[in-house]
Amino acid sequence: MPEPISPRDRLIVALDMASTDEAERLIARIGDAASFYKIGYRLGYAGGLALAERLVRDGHKVFLDLKLHDIGNTVEEGVQSLAGIGATFLTVHAYPQTMRAAAAGRDKAGTGLKILGVTVLTSYDDADAREAGYASSVADLVAARAAAAGAIGIDGIVCSAAEAPQVRAILGPDRLIVTPGIRPAGAEIGDQKRVVTPAEAMRAGVDHVVVGRPITGAADPRDVARRIVDEMAAAL
Ligand SMILES: O=C(O)c1cc(=O)[nH]c(=O)n1[C@@H]1O[C@H](COP(=O)(O)O)[C@@H](O)[C@H]1O
């Protein structure tokens, strides 16, 4: 069985900000209310990779959300380059060729970096999947991609907590389920479509929740982070 994860370490704050200065100010305001930070496109392309190294040095955990997807050789080499940063998680799109290449890069680098496959983005519903050319429902696509991720041997997947019980049955207890699209009750949903509260995510068997705007846009980000952690702790 996997090690138990503390409620605080289950929260991953998405640093979707324009500059590393802004991100560092937010991290200072959040203080010890969170320990795990996600760096995606916006910050990653604006000095975020150097910030990731500093955060790791300062004892934080880092999730590099770069959603790699390319020919196998490029993905494998990209993963090897990123593995030296010291991040805990890196995302790739959950296509079998891409996941196999990422697993090979991870194994060659041997730094402990874990690969997460992004199944179907939480901003998609069935109509969006149809528009993108898929005949399956979102739930069926997530299940198929989760099964492929497990068979290939990457470390976990990203999906909505709405699919977590089904995905847990497919992946078993040892792979990670990481879920964005998390909104505390009453929070603005924005462009997310498959939305779940922090408490429901815990009850659905999720390992980590990713929360961005409800924290980054709050007047008191530390207080919101604390409330989310407390809500998760009460639901576990
Ligand atoms: O890979 C991700 O982190 C991701 C996958 C997904 O399906 N949906 C999703 O929202 N995300 C990311 O999770 C974060 C959610 O942010 P908020 O909607 O502001 O809480 C963003 O940084 C997204 O890029």
Side-chain angles (χ1 to χ4, degrees):
M1 286 298 277
E3 292 277 299
I5 310 168
S6 78
R8 188 182 72 137
D9 291 343
R10 287 174 183 272
L11 171 63
I12 302 176
V13 179
L15 296 172
D16 293 326
M17 358 224 24
S19 70
T20 55
D21 283 354
E22 219 182 306
E24 284 180 298
R25 278 197 298 275
L26 179 81
I27 293 164
R29 287 183 74 192
I30 291 175
D32 63 4
S35 56
F36 211 146
Y37 289 96
K38 182 173 87 75
I39 294 176
Y41 290 177
R42 192 178 188 194
L43 194 58
Y45 294 139
L49 299 186
L51 174 66
E53 288 183 323
R54 292 201 291 282
L55 290 179
V56 170
R57 246 183 275 128
D58 291 347
H60 295 291
K61 285 190 169 175
V62 173
F63 173 177
L64 291 178
D65 177 25
L66 301 179
K67 294 190 181 70
L68 303 185
H69 187 45
D70 206 316
I71 62 167
N73 184 64
T74 301
V75 170
E76 183 177 328
E77 291 175 348
V79 169
Q80 285 177 268
S81 291
L82 290 163
I85 288 175
T88 302
F89 297 153
L90 168 68
T91 43
V92 303
H93 280 286
Y95 287 78
Q97 199 180 88
T98 299
M99 294 192 286
R100 269 192 290 274
R106 172 200 65 188
D107 294 346
K108 282 189 183 157
T111 59
L113 174 68
K114 291 186 165 72
I115 306 293
L116 303 178
V118 179
T119 55
V120 178
L121 294 166
T122 53
S123 59
Y124 276 55
D125 60 16
D126 287 342
D128 297 308
R130 255 194 318 278
E131 187 190 20
Y134 294 101
S136 319
S137 66
V138 165
D140 286 350
L141 269 176
V142 169
R145 289 175 178 174
I152 287 164
I154 62 165
D155 303 280
I157 64 149
V158 176
C159 62
S160 165
E163 295 101 41
Q166 184 193 11
V167 163
R168 182 59 78 199
I170 293 167
L171 286 178
D174 295 329
R175 314 253 180 210
L176 294 162
I177 300 177
V178 178
T179 62
I182 296 294
R183 291 291 181 269
E188 216 169 287
I189 285 170
D191 54 352
Q192 298 285 4
K193 291 203 179 137
R194 305 193 328 280
V195 169
V196 173
T197 66
E200 284 166 23
M202 293 302 105
R203 289 194 282 265
V206 163
D207 296 294
H208 295 275
V209 298
V210 175
V211 185
R213 289 161 289 184
I215 293 176
T216 58
D220 187 345
R222 178 183 175 83
D223 182 57
V224 177
R226 273 213 175 127
R227 283 170 194 267
I228 290 171
V229 170
D230 288 349
E231 182 181 326
M232 292 194 292
L236 281 167

